[in-house]
Amino acid sequence: MSYQVLARKWRPKRFQEMVGQEHVLKALVNALDDDRLHHAYLFTGTRGVGKTSIARLFAKSLNCETGVSSSPCGECSACREIAEGRFVDLIEVDAASRTKVEDTRELLENVQYAPTHGRYKVYLIDEVHMLSTHSFNALLKTLEEPPPHVKFLLATTDPQKLPVTILSRCLQFNLKNMIPERIVDHLKFVLGEESVHYEEPALWLLARSADGSMRDAMSLTDQAIAFGAGEVNEADVRAMLGTIDTRLVYRMVECLVDQDAQGLLDAVNDLAQFSPDYNTVLGDLISLLHRIAVGQALPSAVDNSMGDKEQVQNLASRMRAEDLQLFYQIALMGRKDLPFVPDAREGLEMILLRMLAFRPAGTAPAGRPANAGDAAQAAPSSAPAPTQQPGPAVSAPAEPQTAPVAVPVQEAANSAPQPTPQPEPEPQAQQPAAPAPQPASEPKPMPSAAPEPAPQAMHAAPQPPAHTMDDVPPWEDADIPADDYDNGYQDLPPAQGSQPGKKPEAVPSAAPYAAADPVVAAPAPLSETPAQDGAQQLPTDAAIFEPLKHNLQLAQDGGDLPLQADGLQVDHWVRLASMIGLTGMTASLANNLSLEAVNGNSLTFHYTVEQKALLNDVQQERIVTALNNYFAASLDVEFRQDSQSRETPSLYMLRKKRERLALAVESIQSDETVKRLQEHFDAEIDLASVEPID
């Protein structure tokens, strides 16, 4: 007996043997078992997904001698003849070769006659979209009202070419492409029954090359068995398909992670030995980067379509999300430009070198953030202190310390050498008329020529700052200096005397603004604690702060952040989050965490259910590393999904911005010039356009 190819030998003989297409089989099985049969069925889908096989099984179920059911016996004469393709009442027509209207008319001349041997006369028209317009018109009436003993089974790979009049007369079933996992499982079963030795990676290559077609997968398997002399080996399949070794693609990605330019070029050189299609290589690289990105966002969602799930998850844990997104974009844009390069290999190398050359902004290794104080340390300590400008916190004093000490701008100004009360060439108009009372332990001001102040002077009580709110950079939602507002406004002592640019003694209510602009709700009226014995007054906002008042017990000495973990409190996190050197998505996640508990070196953060998918192990590790680097200690950090009872840095920044906006609205409403314009010209203030300019 001659050899029968696997695609024909293993064609399913019952509905239960079909691989995939459960949504189609369920409808047909129920229709057969319940005797609810339509007169015309249309099966659509790409090549090799089972259209003809399902049609033949349906014809066998209709004409089985045991009766109409979804489980034909397979042994009666009708079942055997249909399986062998010689059943007289199953008329299979290739519409691609019989497109003329005369062929269709000849076919329909015999519709009126009863079946010769079976129960139904079944017309199976394959590639029905190839029929001419006149042929479709000739078929319409018969397809709409055929004799009760006639069933039409139509199959096509291009249903868009069918007239709507044909589609409306049929039950349409769309068959889906096979996924690689299902093809591999079926190939394992077939090769096991055929007693053919195989390697699983070779089956994955065949399944991917089949592109969703089970028939193509079986045909490629036949070819692989012949190529491998009775075996299916990975090396033979790669040589047969002409595909590159995917290990080279993984090797290139690993070199990108390790910043290994030499290894990257060596991998391209090894790749060139296969004379590959470099456009396809870039496509494989893009697909791999996509799967790694999925593994970072949701590790359980990584598919095993290439049999390399563990390798993908390993790369996902080693790569930064920012680098991965940049690599993907560079590869995607490079593939578009690849046709314009003089040599495809040069184009691939240039794309890979571009990935090494560019890095996302702010993706330097996490550590203590650099600030203006680092440069300030290099200046001679005996120089007189200039007028302070708003900016990040100033770092430690010049004298060696056991650990770096970050001092807020306000304290740094106080601890710097103070000039003697002599007339200066450039008067400092921003100094208050009289300094606030100082604690008894405060050291006396030192002359400008004196040496560096003693370390204990760094902890002296704050002096009135030498800068105004006009010097503070504009407030941004996404990039808010954590200390500028607190040290430059929140903790300023009340102005003593009328000085330009200083905060007013009392801030009136911003209620008119809240009524006029429903988009940005202004805070409730601000009130000030009455000064007692010249003590410093701090503004409070009961309407906003009362629900979170346990977060607002900040120190009145400038609210400086601790440099040791044992001094950390839960209230410090709202400003500390922007000081530990996080960027990108990690910084955004950290700004939405609430620090709920601090117990020595143990920190407990709460996050919401919306953050669960993004706050994976990689992001948590980055936050922990940044905290450890900042405090120069090993912290025990716990992330817990729970309700947030503490203020998050994002809410803190939003609250501060609203306070400043309310103050700006109140300033313009109380301005005398604005009032005169309103009185004389009946002018109105467009409150929606008011923005705080600091």
Side-chain angles (χ1 to χ4, degrees):
M1 182 177 179
S2 61
Y3 173 74
Q4 191 174 19
V5 298
L6 296 178
R8 295 184 59 187
K9 181 178 180 180
W10 291 96
R11 186 186 291 271
K13 300 177 177 60
R14 298 185 304 163
F15 285 119
Q16 291 77 7
E17 296 178 6
M18 284 290 300
V19 179
Q21 316 305 345
E22 289 83 1
H23 63 293
V24 176
L25 299 179
K26 181 178 181 180
L28 295 180
V29 168
N30 291 339
L32 289 167
D33 292 340
D34 299 340
D35 196 20
R36 300 181 64 88
L37 302 175
H38 201 267
H39 57 267
Y41 295 85
L42 174 63
F43 302 103
T44 66
T46 59
R47 76 280 178 273
V49 293
K51 299 185 298 295
T52 304
S53 297
I54 290 179
R56 289 181 179 176
L57 289 175
F58 193 73
K60 187 185 295 186
S61 299
L62 291 174
N63 289 289
C64 180
E65 294 179 359
T66 60
V68 177
S69 69
S70 61
S71 301
C73 65
E75 299 177 356
C76 63
S77 59
C79 291
R80 291 198 306 270
E81 290 173 4
I82 292 175
E84 296 170 1
R86 55 186 180 86
F87 188 63
V88 66
D89 290 322
L90 176 60
I91 301 97
E92 294 194 28
V93 180
D94 180 15
S97 61
R98 303 186 65 179
T99 61
K100 298 180 180 180
V101 66
E102 291 81 4
D103 298 328
T104 303
R105 288 172 181 169
E106 180 183 352
L107 181 68
L108 297 177
E109 285 178 356
N110 296 323
V111 168
Q112 57 184 333
Y113 300 111
T116 303
H117 179 61
R119 186 178 294 106
Y120 290 96
K121 183 178 287 188
V122 181
Y123 287 87
L124 174 54
I125 306 178
D126 204 0
E127 301 299 333
V128 67
H129 67 275
M130 299 294 291
L131 293 178
S132 65
T133 303
H134 295 295
S135 297
F136 281 126
N137 293 335
L139 185 63
L140 282 178
K141 191 60 179 176
T142 305
L143 189 64
E144 182 179 6
E145 296 180 356
H149 59 269
V150 173
K151 302 294 181 185
F152 284 98
L153 305 179
L154 312 181
T156 179
T157 57
D158 197 355
Q160 288 79 12
K161 293 184 178 180
L162 294 180
V164 178
T165 51
I166 295 292
L167 295 174
S168 65
R169 288 166 168 80
C170 303
L171 292 185
Q172 184 174 348
F173 297 95
N174 184 26
L175 279 68
K176 301 177 182 178
N177 286 0
M178 302 288 181
I179 60 175
E181 287 88 346
R182 182 157 287 177
I183 294 178
V184 169
D185 291 341
H186 188 62
L187 291 180
K188 288 180 181 179
F189 169 76
V190 170
L191 293 178
E193 294 293 321
E194 293 286 330
S195 300
V196 176
H197 177 266
Y198 64 87
E199 294 179 358
E200 186 170 343
L203 301 187
W204 283 102
L205 291 173
L206 294 173
R208 299 286 292 184
S209 299
D211 195 20
S213 171
M214 183 63 75
R215 183 176 60 227
D216 288 3
M218 300 292 281
S219 299
L220 288 172
T221 304
D222 255 328
Q223 184 179 353
I225 293 174
F227 191 90
E231 295 184 353
V232 181
N233 299 317
E234 181 182 6
D236 293 337
V237 171
R238 288 190 183 279
M240 180 190 77
L241 298 176
T243 57
I244 65 170
D245 192 344
T246 54
R247 288 175 295 184
L248 291 174
V249 180
Y250 285 100
R251 180 175 157 194
M252 287 189 292
V253 175
E254 290 174 353
C255 291
L256 289 174
V257 175
D258 299 333
Q259 295 288 293
D260 183 5
Q262 181 62 47
L264 195 61
L265 294 179
D266 291 342
V268 176
N269 184 60
D270 294 342
L271 181 68
Q273 307 303 319
F274 295 93
S275 300
D277 179 5
Y278 289 97
N279 188 61
T280 303
V281 173
L282 268 179
D284 293 341
L285 179 61
I286 291 171
S287 298
L288 177 57
L289 292 175
H290 163 260
R291 298 177 62 214
I292 295 174
V294 172
Q296 286 186 342
L298 191 61
S300 60
V302 177
D303 66 277
N304 198 30
S305 60
M306 294 290 291
D308 55 356
K309 183 175 181 179
E310 294 183 0
Q311 196 167 2
V312 170
Q313 292 177 335
N314 179 44
L315 287 173
S317 64
R318 295 174 55 192
M319 295 184 69
R320 297 175 64 100
E322 299 88 346
D323 292 341
L324 178 58
Q325 294 297 328
L326 183 61
F327 293 163
Y328 184 90
Q329 191 66 21
I330 291 176
L332 196 63
M333 302 306 294
R335 193 181 188 191
K336 181 181 66 174
D337 298 337
L338 198 61
F340 301 103
V341 299
D343 182 73
R345 176 179 174 179
E346 292 179 3
L348 176 64
E349 290 178 344
M350 198 64 190
I351 291 170
L352 296 175
L353 292 176
R354 192 178 302 161
M355 295 178 183
L356 289 180
F358 293 95
R359 311 292 293 179
T363 56
R368 187 166 304 196
N371 48 46
D374 299 332
Q377 292 181 15
S381 59
S382 60
T387 301
Q388 294 293 330
Q389 298 295 332
V394 179
S395 290
E399 293 187 9
Q401 302 290 335
T402 57
V405 179
V407 183
V409 173
Q410 190 172 347
E411 263 190 50
N414 301 332
S415 61
Q418 301 294 329
T420 56
Q422 302 275 342
E424 297 291 336
E426 182 178 352
Q428 299 182 357
Q430 297 170 355
Q431 289 289 348
Q438 305 297 331
S441 61
E442 178 189 0
K444 297 182 180 179
M446 305 183 70
S448 58
E452 183 73 20
Q456 59 268 24
M458 301 300 293
H459 301 285
Q463 297 289 338
H467 62 277
T468 67
M469 293 301 293
D470 294 331
D471 299 324
V472 181
W475 191 277
E476 298 292 344
D477 284 330
D479 187 14
I480 302 177
D483 288 341
D484 279 0
Y485 184 83
D486 292 322
N487 295 332
Y489 169 69
Q490 170 77 10
D491 297 326
L492 281 178
Q496 310 207 7
S498 176
Q499 297 184 16
K502 301 302 288 183
K503 177 187 168 193
E505 283 293 331
V507 182
S509 171
Y513 171 73
D517 187 359
V519 178
V520 181
L526 297 176
S527 60
E528 291 193 354
T529 305
Q532 297 180 0
D533 300 329
Q536 183 174 311
Q537 302 177 21
L538 294 177
T540 60
D541 186 342
I544 294 180
F545 298 174
E546 185 65 25
L548 300 169
K549 61 183 179 180
H550 54 276
N551 289 330
L552 303 176
Q553 306 302 322
L554 301 177
Q556 297 186 9
D557 58 356
D560 55 323
L561 298 176
L563 268 296
Q564 301 295 332
D566 54 5
L568 181 65
Q569 301 179 11
V570 292
D571 304 326
H572 293 147
W573 173 243
V574 293
R575 293 183 295 133
L576 181 64
S578 62
M579 301 293 294
I580 59 177
L582 296 175
T583 60
M585 184 173 68
T586 309
S588 178
L589 291 171
N591 284 334
N592 286 279
L593 296 175
S594 65
L595 181 59
E596 299 290 336
V598 177
N599 186 10
N601 281 4
S602 298
L603 311 182
T604 301
F605 289 96
H606 283 189
Y607 60 90
T608 63
V609 65
E610 291 81 7
Q611 296 175 268
K612 181 178 180 181
L614 296 177
L615 193 64
N616 51 33
D617 295 340
V618 175
Q619 302 294 349
Q620 294 181 12
E621 181 63 27
R622 292 178 185 174
I623 297 174
V624 174
T625 302
L627 287 169
N628 290 341
N629 291 340
Y630 183 86
F631 289 110
S634 179
L635 304 179
D636 182 14
V637 182
E638 178 186 3
F639 296 89
R640 183 184 303 170
Q641 180 184 335
D642 204 342
S643 59
Q644 295 180 331
S645 61
R646 301 280 179 174
E647 190 176 28
T648 65
S650 293
L651 293 177
Y652 171 81
M653 292 185 288
L654 180 61
R655 173 170 58 81
K656 291 296 185 182
K657 180 177 180 180
R658 288 179 175 175
E659 291 177 18
R660 294 157 61 88
L661 182 59
L663 184 60
V665 169
E666 188 58 37
S667 294
I668 197 170
Q669 287 178 334
S670 60
D671 186 87
E672 294 298 330
T673 303
V674 175
K675 289 181 178 179
R676 287 197 295 271
L677 289 173
Q678 288 178 308
E679 293 174 358
H680 293 288
F681 299 101
D682 196 20
E684 294 183 359
I685 303 175
D686 184 7
L687 296 178
S689 65
V690 177
E691 293 183 4
I693 301 177
D694 302 321

